[in-house]
Structure formats: C-alpha cells, structure tokens
Amino acid sequence: MNKGRIILHIDLNCFYASVEQIYDPSLKGKPVAIAGNPKERRGIIITCSYEARASGVYTTMNVGEARRKCPELIVLPPNFDRYRAASKSFFNLLKEYSEILQPVSIDEGYLQLPIVEGQNVLQHVQNMQARIWNELHLPCSIGIAPNKFLAKMASDMKKPMGITVLRKRDVPTVLWPMNVIEMHGVGKSTAEKLGNIGIRTIGELAVADEYVLKQNFGINGQRMKQKANGEDDRPVDPEAIYDTKSVGNSTTLSHDTTDRDELYKIISTLSEKVADRLKAKKLAGVTVSIMIRSADWETCTRSKSINNAIHSKEDIVEHAWYLFNKHWNEEPVRLLGVTVSNVSDIKETTQQLTLFNFEEHVKDEPIIKLVDQIEQKFGKGTILRGSDIAKPVGKYQANTSFSKDFWDEHK
C-alpha cells in the first residue's frame, strides 16, 4: 500500500541555540546552551550547540554540571517568541514543497513529496536543505524513506546538516545491528524490559516471538516488531497536530515555600500560560488538573471535570486554585503544575446558557429577558447555546503512485 511514497523527516539541528546564534552572530562557533533558569536550581539544559556537546554537555544536564564540563559555556534563558517565529518561517517554507505536511514539534516535521516524473529527488531535497540554511540560517538534517519510521531513523543518522536515504531493503544491514535503545519510540525503560527477555538489538526485535512481545508490551509489542522490520503504514497527516489531548504547564519553584500568596501568583501565572496555548491552538477543555510536589518529592495530582469547556485564564485559575486549596497538605511546595485536558476545538464546544454567562457574551437586554422567561416556564437549562461549528476539512490524500527510478527495486 505504501510503495512509492517519498517521505521526509526534517529535523532542525540544535534549534533554540541556532536561533540565538541568528539573533547574536557573535555566538556562532561558541558553546551555547539554553536553560530554563540558569541562576536557579531548576536550571536544566534544554538544548545546546554542537560546540557545547563536544565538551560533554547534553540536554537535561544540570547547569552547574554543564559549566564544570565546559567552563566557557554561554548559558541563555529561552526566548520562545523568537523560536515560534523561526518555526513558523520554517514550516511556511516546507509548505512550498508539499501540502502533505505534518509538524510534530516546534522544530521537526514530516513531509510527503508529490511525484514529479523525471525529478532527481535527492537533488530536490538538497536544494530544500540549502534554502532552509540560506534563507532562514537554520541547519537541519533530513531523512528520506518510504515511511515515517524509516524517515525519522534516517534523519538521526547524520547531524548536523545531513541527508540520509533509508530504503526498506537497507533495514537488515543498517538498522538490525543497532541497539534497541537507538530505535525511535524505544525509551530507556522499554529497552531494559526488552533486554530482560533477551532482546538487545533491533534485529533481535525484528524476529522476536509475537506472543512473548504481546505478553510483555501488549499491542505495542507488535508495533515495535513491525517497525523493526521497516514497516509503518501511518500517513503523513496535516491534521494530526490538532489532536492535542491536553495543555499544561509546570514550574519548579526557586525555593520551597508555604506562602499562600506566592503560591496563588504561581498558579495564576501557570494558568495564563495554559490559556495562551489554548488560545493559540483554538482549544477549550472540560477537565482541570493540578500537580503539587512537596519538598520531599511527594507528588499529588488531582483533577475536576466541569460542565462547560473553558479556555480563559480566569476560569482556569478559579478551578486550579480550588483544587490546590482542597488537596494541599500545607507542606512546603517545590513544584506546581496546571493542566487543562479533554480538550476540543473551541468552535465545537457548547455552553449551557445561564443569566450569568449569557450576559458575558450577549449584551442584548431583550434577549436576556426572553431567556429568563423561557427558563421560568420550562426550567433551567431549557436553552443551550452552541458555538459556530467549523466546517470539516478533509485530510489530504496520500499520493501512492511513484516513479521507479528512486525506490529502485523497492520491496
């Protein structure tokens, strides 16, 4: 079914650090790291330049340890406005090559190329990479493959500024000798669990007993085996980025605290960030959750569901603060998090009319009185207000035809 597809995985290299080097050219060629808060204990390296990596600095490393490994390290706080602007330019450029584009994060995405008879695909991709560098000054690595899994694996093979072609027939020689921890989708705990049943390489996973895999990993065991054999039928889905299930934000406090006013301010700030992200994605949700981690690392997570989907800072703060007060044991707090889940397109949510929320949205006094009269006669909740429903947009259809000169002898 997937024969003939040309799928790219484009991954911007050291994205945050690369953007900072664009804004400050004096940083080019120097060890640069981006950290959550370089001056406080929550200072964890988000990303770093290849110059920093050469000194042993890596993502998730504590800032203090990073500076010990690389004394000349330049540590900067993140500037997400810059990163969002650069990301938008990046994806706008990719859209010039194909409408079948699926962003998967701020700095990477899948692109299915249209079929052009006689086109030199490799040269076409090289030109794309050159444009991303020359016009946006962003280095990237690109994987070319017949499916998403192989494209992702390929893009990781040459960094920075690499282009790798990975055909399905290359899987036994290229992927199978690799340790399972190097396989996309396999984390540390899964790799350890695979090791416990005698599977240490991707090749061993590819021929593993399906019953054993299912017993240990459920349906995911079968999926891992399929990918280990280079099989992946997932489409490049331009609408997948909208399949968000929840939007949340958390922060580690600079100091443990029991100050209620300070805690309220933090929850308010977190709620505002969540509201901004919901607004950007045009989402609203009906479940609010709060996470409280104490100074001794005990974590409490509690949620509440509400009748009407919310998206504003004020509504999120109200429910988050209620949850906090109900479940906080007054122990010093180390970390706080706020999440809105069970989200959907804001245009598809409906809201029950009451005199309170009706007045917020409609200023026509006669209508308010009419609703009041109807509810007095037929009862509260007789009238429901629906937001405008967006017209469904069909998914792009994947092009499964292909010129044979690229996937030569593809199997």
Side-chain angles (χ1 to χ4, degrees), residues 147-158:
N147 63 53
K148 291 168 75 173
F149 169 71
L150 293 179
K152 170 63 177 175
M153 293 295 293
S155 71
D156 286 337
M157 290 179 179
K158 294 179 185 176

Side-chain angles (χ1 to χ4, degrees), residues 170-179 201-204 206-207 227-230:
D170 299 326
V171 169
T173 56
V174 177
L175 294 191
W176 284 2
M178 297 168 64
N179 192 291
T201 67
I202 297 177
E204 290 171 341
V207 297
K227 290 180 179 179
N229 282 285

Side-chain angles (χ1 to χ4, degrees), residues 267-300:
I267 288 176
S268 179
T269 299
L270 291 172
S271 298
E272 183 174 17
K273 291 180 179 179
V274 171
D276 288 345
R277 290 175 59 196
L278 287 169
K279 180 180 178 181
K281 294 174 179 285
K282 296 181 174 60
L283 297 172
V286 294
T287 302
V288 178
S289 305
I290 187 137
M291 180 170 64
I292 308 167
R293 181 169 296 160
S294 64
D296 58 3
W297 289 89
E298 290 293 322
T299 302
C300 169

Side-chain angles (χ1 to χ4, degrees), residues 91 95 98-104 110-112 148 234-243 393-398:
F91 286 113
K95 287 177 185 176
S98 174
E99 292 183 324
I100 310 177
L101 168 65
Q102 180 184 338
V104 293
Y110 294 99
L111 186 76
Q112 181 169 328
K148 291 168 75 173
R234 294 174 301 159
V236 178
D237 184 1
E239 296 179 27
I241 194 170
Y242 301 109
D243 293 341
V393 179
K395 297 180 185 294
Y396 292 113
Q397 299 299 312

Side-chain angles (χ1 to χ4, degrees), residues 139-399:
C140 71
S141 295
I142 303 176
I144 311 174
N147 63 53
K148 291 168 75 173
F149 169 71
L150 293 179
K152 170 63 177 175
M153 293 295 293
S155 71
D156 286 337
M157 290 179 179
K158 294 179 185 176
K159 291 187 175 183
M161 293 293 284
I163 296 177
T164 303
V165 178
L166 185 58
R167 300 170 175 85
K168 190 175 176 182
R169 68 170 183 264
D170 299 326
V171 169
T173 56
V174 177
L175 294 191
W176 284 2
M178 297 168 64
N179 192 291
V180 287
I181 192 67
E182 298 180 69
M183 178 171 152
H184 176 57
V186 174
K188 183 178 179 182
S189 61
T190 300
E192 290 176 353
K193 198 170 180 181
L194 285 167
N196 291 336
I197 58 175
I199 299 173
R200 292 176 176 80
T201 67
I202 297 177
E204 290 171 341
L205 176 58
V207 297
D209 185 278
E210 285 195 19
Y211 177 78
V212 174
L213 291 174
K214 187 174 182 180
Q215 287 294 102
N216 286 272
F217 302 98
I219 188 65
N220 193 45
Q222 180 184 4
R223 290 170 181 162
M224 287 193 297
K225 180 174 180 176
Q226 289 173 343
K227 290 180 179 179
N229 282 285
E231 299 171 4
D232 183 9
D233 286 335
R234 294 174 301 159
V236 178
D237 184 1
E239 296 179 27
I241 194 170
Y242 301 109
D243 293 341
T244 304
K245 299 295 187 296
S246 65
V247 174
N249 222 293
S250 64
T251 185
T252 301
L253 282 58
S254 59
H255 57 279
D256 302 333
T257 184
T258 58
D259 186 320
R260 190 173 292 272
D261 290 339
E262 183 178 1
L263 293 166
Y264 177 81
K265 289 178 182 177
I266 294 169
I267 288 176
S268 179
T269 299
L270 291 172
S271 298
E272 183 174 17
K273 291 180 179 179
V274 171
D276 288 345
R277 290 175 59 196
L278 287 169
K279 180 180 178 181
K281 294 174 179 285
K282 296 181 174 60
L283 297 172
V286 294
T287 302
V288 178
S289 305
I290 187 137
M291 180 170 64
I292 308 167
R293 181 169 296 160
S294 64
D296 58 3
W297 289 89
E298 290 293 322
T299 302
C300 169
T301 303
R302 294 292 184 269
S303 303
K304 66 172 294 191
S305 294
I306 50 186
N307 292 328
N308 300 325
I310 62 173
H311 57 88
S312 71
K313 171 191 172 183
E314 292 74 19
D315 287 337
I316 298 170
V317 169
E318 177 185 348
H319 295 292
W321 185 239
Y322 165 82
L323 284 169
F324 177 82
N325 282 296
K326 184 176 181 179
H327 300 288
W328 180 41
N329 60 9
E330 299 192 0
E331 292 292 322
V333 176
R334 176 186 179 88
L335 176 146
L336 283 173
V338 174
T339 299
V340 173
S341 55
N342 293 323
V343 298
S344 58
D345 190 312
I346 196 169
K347 291 183 178 180
E348 295 176 358
T349 60
T350 59
Q351 186 174 48
Q352 181 179 348
L353 280 177
T354 68
L355 285 181
F356 300 105
N357 59 32
F358 190 83
E359 287 175 344
E360 292 175 6
H361 301 290
V362 184
K363 297 181 180 179
D364 193 339
E365 183 65 22
I367 298 178
I368 297 175
K369 290 181 179 179
L370 176 61
V371 171
D372 187 39
Q373 292 169 2
I374 294 173
E375 290 196 327
Q376 284 181 17
K377 184 173 182 179
F378 297 102
K380 285 282 186 181
T382 301
I383 299 178
L384 297 177
R385 184 187 186 209
S387 301
D388 294 333
I389 304 300
K391 294 181 180 179
V393 179
K395 297 180 185 294
Y396 292 113
Q397 299 299 312
N399 190 334

Side-chain angles (χ1 to χ4, degrees), residues 10 12-24 28 82-97 106-107 127-140 161:
I10 307 100
L12 296 175
N13 305 140
C14 305
F15 178 55
Y16 292 175
S18 296
V19 173
E20 295 298 342
Q21 289 172 333
I22 293 171
Y23 279 85
D24 183 357
K28 291 182 178 180
R82 289 179 179 176
Y83 309 150
R84 280 190 287 267
S87 177
K88 183 177 181 181
S89 297
F90 167 61
F91 286 113
N92 283 342
L93 188 151
L94 294 184
K95 287 177 185 176
E96 296 180 24
Y97 290 86
I106 195 171
D107 61 350
N127 292 340
M128 178 192 301
Q129 185 188 58
R131 281 194 62 197
I132 295 170
W133 173 250
N134 293 328
E135 297 178 23
L136 306 180
H137 308 291
L138 293 171
C140 71
M161 293 293 284

